[in-house]
Amino acid sequence: MAGSQSDPANSERRLVAVYPGSFDPLTNGHLDLIHRGARVSDHLIVAILRNTNKQPLFSIEERAEMIREVTASLPTVEIDSFEGLLVDYAARRNANAILRGIRAISDYETELQMALLNRRMRPETETIFLMAAEEYSFISSRMIKEIVMLGGDVSRFVPEPVSRRLRAKSVR
Ligand code: PNS
């Protein structure tokens, strides 16, 4: 019966998902995934990895600021950063899912390995994959940085606030 306790649509269960990544910088593909992730979850935490080994183009604060700017209209989306194991961070944040995007078959192998390792370490956290929209399936942060370094225009591939900051970096 609609509206009854047993109605699955009335379930009290909440989906709190962590969308982790380097986001150096955020691309239109990432943003599309955030929008779609926000639609299927109750709360979505975009978690930027604090990786001290890598030499990033943008600081954590710059990356967080850009993501905050382009997700301002999404009330259930939160921006945070983390270090250490992703599953430990998910546990601390009471998240029950990790969200990842898959662009092409080439992503699958690494993503499968990460999902299986994360499941061994914390079975309570389910990894959920969303397929990247085909128009963004060829975009990666690494390629964006390469195009910018070689003087190309990336304004079609990244949100405007990112494009603006990339231009500012490349004229320095
Ligand atoms: O945007 P990226 O670089 O593809 O994101 C990779 C990320 C952040 C998801 C991955 O490197 C990660 O989860 N790092 C945290 C450390 C960790 O938990 N490693 C074990 C994963 S199996």
Side-chain angles (χ1 to χ4, degrees), residues 20-22 49 54 82 84-86 100 114 117-118:
S22 307
L49 175 68
K54 268 194 195 172
F82 75 104
L85 280 180
L86 174 59
R100 290 288 287 171
M114 279 203 292
L117 282 167
N118 284 335

Coordinates of all heavy atoms in Angstrom, one line a residue, residues 20-22 49 54 82 84-86 100 114 117-118, ligand 1:
P20 N 35.5 10.9 -4.0 CA 36.9 11.3 -3.8 C 37.6 11.6 -5.1 O 37.2 11.1 -6.1 CB 37.4 10.1 -3.1 CG 36.7 9.0 -3.8 CD 35.4 9.5 -4.1
G21 N 38.7 12.4 -5.0 CA 39.5 12.6 -6.2 C 40.5 13.6 -5.9 O 40.6 14.3 -4.9
S22 N 41.4 13.8 -7.0 CA 42.4 14.8 -6.9 C 41.8 16.2 -7.3 O 42.2 17.2 -6.8 CB 43.6 14.5 -7.8 OG 44.0 13.2 -7.5
L49 N 41.6 14.7 -2.2 CA 42.8 14.0 -1.6 C 43.9 15.0 -1.3 O 44.4 15.7 -2.2 CB 43.2 12.9 -2.5 CG 44.5 12.1 -2.0 CD1 44.2 11.3 -0.7 CD2 45.1 11.2 -3.1
K54 N 52.4 14.3 -4.5 CA 52.2 14.9 -5.8 C 52.5 16.4 -5.7 O 52.2 17.0 -4.7 CB 50.8 14.6 -6.2 CG 50.7 13.3 -7.1 CD 49.3 13.4 -7.7 CE 48.9 12.1 -8.3 NZ 47.5 12.1 -8.8
F82 N 40.7 15.3 2.5 CA 41.1 14.2 3.4 C 42.5 13.7 3.1 O 43.0 13.9 2.0 CB 40.1 13.0 3.3 CG 40.3 12.1 2.1 CD1 40.9 10.9 2.1 CD2 39.9 12.6 0.8 CE1 41.1 10.1 1.0 CE2 40.0 11.8 -0.3 CZ 40.6 10.6 -0.2
G84 N 45.2 10.1 4.1 CA 45.1 8.7 4.6 C 44.2 7.9 3.8 O 43.8 8.3 2.7
L85 N 43.7 6.8 4.4 CA 42.9 5.9 3.6 C 41.5 6.4 3.4 O 40.8 6.9 4.3 CB 42.8 4.5 4.4 CG 44.0 3.6 4.3 CD1 43.7 2.3 5.1 CD2 44.2 3.2 2.8
L86 N 41.0 6.2 2.2 CA 39.6 6.7 1.9 C 38.6 6.0 2.7 O 37.6 6.7 3.2 CB 39.4 6.4 0.4 CG 38.0 6.7 -0.2 CD1 37.6 8.1 0.0 CD2 38.0 6.3 -1.7
R100 N 32.3 6.8 -7.7 CA 33.4 7.0 -8.7 C 32.8 7.0 -10.1 O 31.7 6.4 -10.4 CB 34.4 5.9 -8.6 CG 35.2 5.9 -7.4 CD 36.3 7.0 -7.3 NE 37.4 6.8 -8.2 CZ 38.3 7.7 -8.5 NH1 38.2 8.9 -7.9 NH2 39.3 7.5 -9.3
M114 N 40.6 -0.7 -7.0 CA 40.4 0.1 -5.8 C 39.1 -0.3 -5.1 O 39.1 -0.3 -3.9 CB 40.3 1.6 -6.3 CG 41.6 2.3 -6.5 SD 41.5 4.1 -6.3 CE 40.5 4.5 -7.7
L117 N 39.7 -3.5 -3.2 CA 40.6 -3.3 -2.0 C 39.8 -2.6 -0.9 O 39.9 -3.0 0.3 CB 41.8 -2.5 -2.4 CG 42.9 -3.3 -3.1 CD1 44.0 -2.4 -3.7 CD2 43.6 -4.3 -2.1
N118 N 39.1 -1.6 -1.3 CA 38.3 -0.8 -0.3 C 37.2 -1.7 0.3 O 37.0 -1.6 1.5 CB 37.6 0.4 -1.0 CG 38.7 1.5 -1.3 OD1 39.7 1.6 -0.6 ND2 38.4 2.3 -2.2
Ligands
PNS1 O1 41.1 11.7 -9.0 P1 41.9 10.5 -8.7 O2 43.4 10.8 -8.6 O3 41.7 9.4 -9.7 O4 41.5 9.9 -7.3 C1 42.1 8.8 -6.7 C2 41.7 8.6 -5.2 C3 41.8 9.8 -4.4 C4 40.2 8.1 -5.2 C5 42.6 7.4 -4.6 O5 43.9 7.7 -4.9 C6 42.4 7.3 -3.1 O6 41.4 6.8 -2.7 N1 43.4 7.7 -2.3 C7 43.3 7.6 -0.9 C8 44.3 6.6 -0.3 C9 43.7 5.2 -0.3 O7 42.7 5.0 0.3 N2 44.3 4.3 -1.1 C10 43.8 3.0 -1.2 C11 42.8 2.9 -2.4 S1 42.6 1.2 -2.8

